[in-house]
Short mmCIF file of all heavy atoms in Angstrom, two decimals:
data_model
loop_
_atom_site.label_atom_id
_atom_site.label_comp_id
_atom_site.label_asym_id
_atom_site.label_seq_id
_atom_site.Cartn_x
_atom_site.Cartn_y
_atom_site.Cartn_z
N ASP A 266 115.91 67.52 104.03
CA ASP A 266 115.81 66.04 104.01
C ASP A 266 116.86 65.47 102.99
O ASP A 266 117.45 64.49 103.11
CB ASP A 266 114.36 65.51 103.62
CG ASP A 266 113.39 66.23 104.55
OD1 ASP A 266 113.22 65.82 105.60
OD2 ASP A 266 112.66 67.13 104.06
N LEU A 267 116.87 66.23 101.80
CA LEU A 267 117.87 65.90 100.73
C LEU A 267 119.31 66.16 101.18
O LEU A 267 120.18 65.34 100.85
CB LEU A 267 117.62 66.64 99.61
CG LEU A 267 116.27 66.46 98.88
CD1 LEU A 267 116.06 67.39 97.70
CD2 LEU A 267 116.24 65.00 98.18
N LYS A 268 119.51 67.06 102.13
CA LYS A 268 120.85 67.46 102.41
C LYS A 268 121.53 66.38 103.24
O LYS A 268 122.75 66.14 103.15
CB LYS A 268 120.86 68.82 103.26
CG LYS A 268 122.16 69.30 103.48
CD LYS A 268 122.11 70.66 104.36
CE LYS A 268 123.47 71.29 104.57
NZ LYS A 268 123.35 72.54 105.24
N VAL A 269 120.77 65.69 104.01
CA VAL A 269 121.42 64.68 104.87
C VAL A 269 121.65 63.22 104.24
O VAL A 269 122.24 62.31 104.73
CB VAL A 269 120.48 64.29 106.20
CG1 VAL A 269 120.25 65.62 106.89
CG2 VAL A 269 119.02 63.73 105.76
N LEU A 270 121.22 63.18 102.90
CA LEU A 270 121.33 61.99 102.10
C LEU A 270 122.73 61.98 101.49
O LEU A 270 123.27 62.97 101.17
CB LEU A 270 120.20 61.79 101.12
CG LEU A 270 118.71 61.67 101.64
CD1 LEU A 270 117.86 61.69 100.33
CD2 LEU A 270 118.58 60.57 102.44
N SER A 271 123.15 60.75 101.14
CA SER A 271 124.40 60.55 100.44
C SER A 271 124.02 61.05 98.91
O SER A 271 122.93 61.06 98.63
CB SER A 271 124.88 59.17 100.26
OG SER A 271 123.84 58.18 99.67
N TYR A 272 125.07 61.23 98.07
CA TYR A 272 124.81 61.62 96.81
C TYR A 272 124.00 60.65 96.05
O TYR A 272 123.00 60.96 95.37
CB TYR A 272 126.04 61.86 95.99
CG TYR A 272 125.89 61.95 94.46
CD1 TYR A 272 125.16 62.97 93.83
CD2 TYR A 272 126.39 60.94 93.68
CE1 TYR A 272 124.97 63.02 92.50
CE2 TYR A 272 126.32 60.92 92.28
CZ TYR A 272 125.54 61.99 91.67
OH TYR A 272 125.31 61.89 90.31
N SER A 273 124.28 59.32 96.20
CA SER A 273 123.56 58.26 95.50
C SER A 273 122.04 58.18 95.88
O SER A 273 121.13 58.18 95.04
CB SER A 273 124.22 56.91 95.68
OG SER A 273 123.46 55.84 95.18
N ALA A 274 121.87 58.37 97.28
CA ALA A 274 120.40 58.35 97.79
C ALA A 274 119.68 59.57 97.33
O ALA A 274 118.53 59.53 97.10
CB ALA A 274 120.45 58.24 99.19
N ARG A 275 120.38 60.72 97.35
CA ARG A 275 119.70 61.93 96.95
C ARG A 275 119.28 61.92 95.42
O ARG A 275 118.25 62.37 95.07
CB ARG A 275 120.61 63.08 97.30
CG ARG A 275 120.09 64.48 96.93
CD ARG A 275 120.87 65.70 97.48
NE ARG A 275 122.34 65.55 97.12
CZ ARG A 275 123.25 65.31 97.93
NH1 ARG A 275 123.18 65.05 99.18
NH2 ARG A 275 124.50 65.51 97.53
N LYS A 276 120.23 61.40 94.57
CA LYS A 276 119.95 61.26 93.19
C LYS A 276 118.74 60.40 93.04
O LYS A 276 117.76 60.73 92.12
CB LYS A 276 121.10 60.74 92.42
CG LYS A 276 120.88 60.55 91.04
CD LYS A 276 122.20 60.06 90.27
CE LYS A 276 122.09 59.79 88.84
NZ LYS A 276 123.21 59.17 88.23
N SER A 277 118.60 59.27 93.69
CA SER A 277 117.48 58.36 93.63
C SER A 277 116.14 59.03 94.15
O SER A 277 115.11 58.85 93.45
CB SER A 277 117.72 57.11 94.36
OG SER A 277 118.80 56.40 93.96
N ALA A 278 116.29 59.81 95.15
CA ALA A 278 115.19 60.59 95.74
C ALA A 278 114.56 61.67 94.71
O ALA A 278 113.39 61.66 94.42
CB ALA A 278 115.43 61.25 97.04
N LEU A 279 115.42 62.34 94.04
CA LEU A 279 115.11 63.32 93.04
C LEU A 279 114.45 62.67 91.83
O LEU A 279 113.51 63.15 91.39
CB LEU A 279 116.37 64.15 92.57
CG LEU A 279 116.80 65.25 93.81
CD1 LEU A 279 118.15 65.66 93.36
CD2 LEU A 279 115.80 66.26 93.98
N ARG A 280 114.95 61.47 91.50
CA ARG A 280 114.40 60.72 90.31
C ARG A 280 112.96 60.26 90.66
O ARG A 280 112.15 60.47 89.85
CB ARG A 280 115.22 59.61 89.99
CG ARG A 280 114.72 58.78 88.75
CD ARG A 280 115.66 57.58 88.51
NE ARG A 280 114.97 56.84 87.34
CZ ARG A 280 115.37 57.09 86.10
NH1 ARG A 280 116.13 57.99 85.75
NH2 ARG A 280 114.77 56.27 85.17
N ARG A 283 110.55 63.23 90.54
CA ARG A 283 110.19 63.57 89.17
C ARG A 283 109.35 62.58 88.46
O ARG A 283 108.53 62.81 87.62
CB ARG A 283 111.45 63.87 88.38
CG ARG A 283 112.23 65.19 88.86
CD ARG A 283 113.68 65.12 88.44
NE ARG A 283 114.38 66.37 88.85
CZ ARG A 283 115.58 66.53 89.18
NH1 ARG A 283 116.40 65.40 89.05
NH2 ARG A 283 116.05 67.68 89.58
N ALA A 294 116.00 60.66 82.37
CA ALA A 294 117.44 60.36 81.81
C ALA A 294 118.12 61.60 81.77
O ALA A 294 119.36 61.77 82.23
CB ALA A 294 117.48 59.59 80.62
N ARG A 295 117.59 62.63 81.13
CA ARG A 295 118.24 64.03 81.17
C ARG A 295 118.45 64.54 82.44
O ARG A 295 119.52 65.20 82.67
CB ARG A 295 117.30 64.93 80.16
CG ARG A 295 117.24 64.56 78.70
CD ARG A 295 116.65 65.74 77.99
NE ARG A 295 115.22 66.03 78.33
CZ ARG A 295 114.13 65.38 77.78
NH1 ARG A 295 114.38 64.53 76.85
NH2 ARG A 295 112.89 65.81 78.13
N TRP A 296 117.45 64.44 83.38
CA TRP A 296 117.65 64.93 84.68
C TRP A 296 118.73 64.23 85.42
O TRP A 296 119.44 64.77 86.12
CB TRP A 296 116.38 64.91 85.45
CG TRP A 296 115.34 66.07 85.20
CD1 TRP A 296 114.25 65.93 84.47
CD2 TRP A 296 115.42 67.44 85.62
NE1 TRP A 296 113.70 67.24 84.48
CE2 TRP A 296 114.38 68.08 85.12
CE3 TRP A 296 116.48 68.08 86.40
CZ2 TRP A 296 114.21 69.47 85.33
CZ3 TRP A 296 116.30 69.42 86.69
CH2 TRP A 296 115.24 70.05 86.16
N ASP A 297 118.76 62.78 85.26
CA ASP A 297 119.91 62.14 85.90
C ASP A 297 121.32 62.60 85.37
O ASP A 297 122.14 62.79 86.23
CB ASP A 297 119.75 60.62 85.60
CG ASP A 297 118.68 59.98 86.30
OD1 ASP A 297 118.13 60.61 87.37
OD2 ASP A 297 118.33 58.87 85.96
N ALA A 298 121.41 62.87 84.15
CA ALA A 298 122.67 63.43 83.69
C ALA A 298 122.98 64.67 84.23
O ALA A 298 124.07 65.07 84.58
CB ALA A 298 122.68 63.34 82.14
N LEU A 299 121.94 65.62 84.22
CA LEU A 299 122.23 66.99 84.84
C LEU A 299 122.55 66.84 86.26
O LEU A 299 123.41 67.58 86.69
CB LEU A 299 120.90 67.79 84.63
CG LEU A 299 120.96 69.19 85.14
CD1 LEU A 299 122.02 70.00 84.39
CD2 LEU A 299 119.66 69.85 84.90
N GLU A 300 121.98 66.03 87.06
CA GLU A 300 122.35 65.84 88.50
C GLU A 300 123.74 65.53 88.62
O GLU A 300 124.58 65.95 89.54
CB GLU A 300 121.45 64.86 89.13
CG GLU A 300 119.97 65.27 89.43
CD GLU A 300 119.90 66.46 90.27
OE1 GLU A 300 120.81 66.70 91.16
OE2 GLU A 300 119.00 67.30 89.97
N GLU A 301 124.32 64.53 87.73
CA GLU A 301 125.68 64.09 87.84
C GLU A 301 126.72 65.34 87.46
O GLU A 301 127.65 65.53 88.08
CB GLU A 301 125.84 63.00 86.73
CG GLU A 301 125.30 61.65 87.24
CD GLU A 301 125.41 60.59 86.16
OE1 GLU A 301 126.00 60.81 85.17
OE2 GLU A 301 124.66 59.59 86.23
N GLU A 302 126.16 66.11 86.51
CA GLU A 302 126.95 67.29 86.06
C GLU A 302 126.98 68.27 87.17
O GLU A 302 128.07 68.84 87.54
CB GLU A 302 126.40 67.97 84.75
CG GLU A 302 127.08 69.14 84.33
CD GLU A 302 126.45 69.76 83.17
OE1 GLU A 302 125.71 69.00 82.38
OE2 GLU A 302 126.60 70.93 82.97
N ARG A 303 125.86 68.44 87.82
CA ARG A 303 125.77 69.56 88.96
C ARG A 303 126.76 68.96 90.11
O ARG A 303 127.39 69.78 90.69
CB ARG A 303 124.34 69.60 89.41
CG ARG A 303 123.56 70.56 88.47
CD ARG A 303 122.00 70.35 88.87
NE ARG A 303 121.28 71.36 88.15
CZ ARG A 303 119.93 71.37 88.20
NH1 ARG A 303 119.25 70.47 88.93
NH2 ARG A 303 119.18 72.19 87.51
N GLU A 304 126.59 67.68 90.48
CA GLU A 304 127.46 67.21 91.57
C GLU A 304 128.88 67.42 91.32
O GLU A 304 129.59 67.75 92.22
CB GLU A 304 127.05 65.71 91.72
CG GLU A 304 127.78 65.12 92.97
CD GLU A 304 127.43 65.62 94.29
OE1 GLU A 304 126.23 66.26 94.37
OE2 GLU A 304 128.12 65.41 95.19
N ARG A 305 129.30 67.10 90.00
CA ARG A 305 130.78 67.37 89.77
C ARG A 305 131.11 68.80 89.93
O ARG A 305 132.21 69.02 90.43
CB ARG A 305 131.04 66.89 88.36
CG ARG A 305 131.18 65.40 88.13
CD ARG A 305 131.68 65.08 86.65
NE ARG A 305 130.98 65.62 85.54
CZ ARG A 305 129.91 64.95 84.94
NH1 ARG A 305 129.65 63.80 85.45
NH2 ARG A 305 129.31 65.50 84.06
N GLY A 306 130.24 69.69 89.39
CA GLY A 306 130.45 71.15 89.56
C GLY A 306 130.68 71.53 90.99
O GLY A 306 131.65 72.33 91.28
N TRP A 307 129.81 71.05 91.93
CA TRP A 307 129.81 71.37 93.31
C TRP A 307 131.08 70.78 94.04
O TRP A 307 131.62 71.58 94.87
CB TRP A 307 128.59 70.95 94.05
CG TRP A 307 127.44 71.97 93.81
CD1 TRP A 307 126.32 71.86 92.82
CD2 TRP A 307 127.25 73.31 94.28
NE1 TRP A 307 125.46 72.92 92.96
CE2 TRP A 307 126.03 73.76 93.71
CE3 TRP A 307 127.87 74.00 95.24
CZ2 TRP A 307 125.59 75.11 94.02
CZ3 TRP A 307 127.43 75.22 95.63
CH2 TRP A 307 126.28 75.83 95.09
N GLN A 308 131.39 69.55 93.60
CA GLN A 308 132.61 69.02 94.27
C GLN A 308 133.85 69.70 93.72
O GLN A 308 134.72 69.93 94.62
CB GLN A 308 132.66 67.45 93.88
CG GLN A 308 131.49 66.59 94.56
CD GLN A 308 131.54 66.72 96.01
OE1 GLN A 308 132.61 66.73 96.65
NE2 GLN A 308 130.33 66.81 96.60
N ARG A 365 123.62 76.13 97.75
CA ARG A 365 123.32 74.93 96.89
C ARG A 365 121.79 74.62 97.21
O ARG A 365 121.33 74.42 98.35
CB ARG A 365 124.09 73.80 97.20
CG ARG A 365 123.79 72.57 96.32
CD ARG A 365 124.80 71.52 96.37
NE ARG A 365 124.47 70.42 95.36
CZ ARG A 365 125.10 69.45 95.21
NH1 ARG A 365 126.16 69.15 96.02
NH2 ARG A 365 124.85 68.53 94.29
N TYR A 367 119.51 71.58 96.30
CA TYR A 367 119.61 70.39 95.70
C TYR A 367 118.43 70.16 94.78
O TYR A 367 117.28 70.36 95.02
CB TYR A 367 119.54 69.24 96.73
CG TYR A 367 120.71 69.31 97.67
CD1 TYR A 367 120.63 69.67 98.93
CD2 TYR A 367 121.91 68.77 97.20
CE1 TYR A 367 121.79 69.75 99.78
CE2 TYR A 367 123.07 68.71 98.03
CZ TYR A 367 123.00 69.30 99.28
OH TYR A 367 124.17 69.30 100.05
N GLY A 368 118.72 69.63 93.54
CA GLY A 368 117.68 69.48 92.51
C GLY A 368 117.32 70.70 91.68
O GLY A 368 116.72 70.48 90.66
N ASN A 370 120.12 73.50 91.25
CA ASN A 370 121.28 74.17 90.87
C ASN A 370 122.53 73.26 91.15
O ASN A 370 122.41 72.11 91.71
CB ASN A 370 121.52 75.49 91.43
CG ASN A 370 121.79 75.60 92.93
OD1 ASN A 370 121.99 74.43 93.57
ND2 ASN A 370 121.88 76.68 93.53
#
Side-chain angles (χ1 to χ4, degrees):
D266 309 286
L267 293 170
K268 186 176 183 178
V269 299
L270 298 177
S271 66
Y272 164 64
S273 177
R275 184 165 56 245
K276 182 181 174 184
S277 296
L279 287 167
R280 183 183 177 90
R283 290 162 181 150
R295 290 193 298 272
W296 277 106
D297 284 345
L299 181 58
E300 287 302 328
E301 292 174 5
E302 180 183 332
R303 285 170 170 170
E304 182 66 16
R305 283 195 301 271
W307 282 100
Q308 291 303 322
R365 183 170 187 182
Y367 295 104
N370 66 7

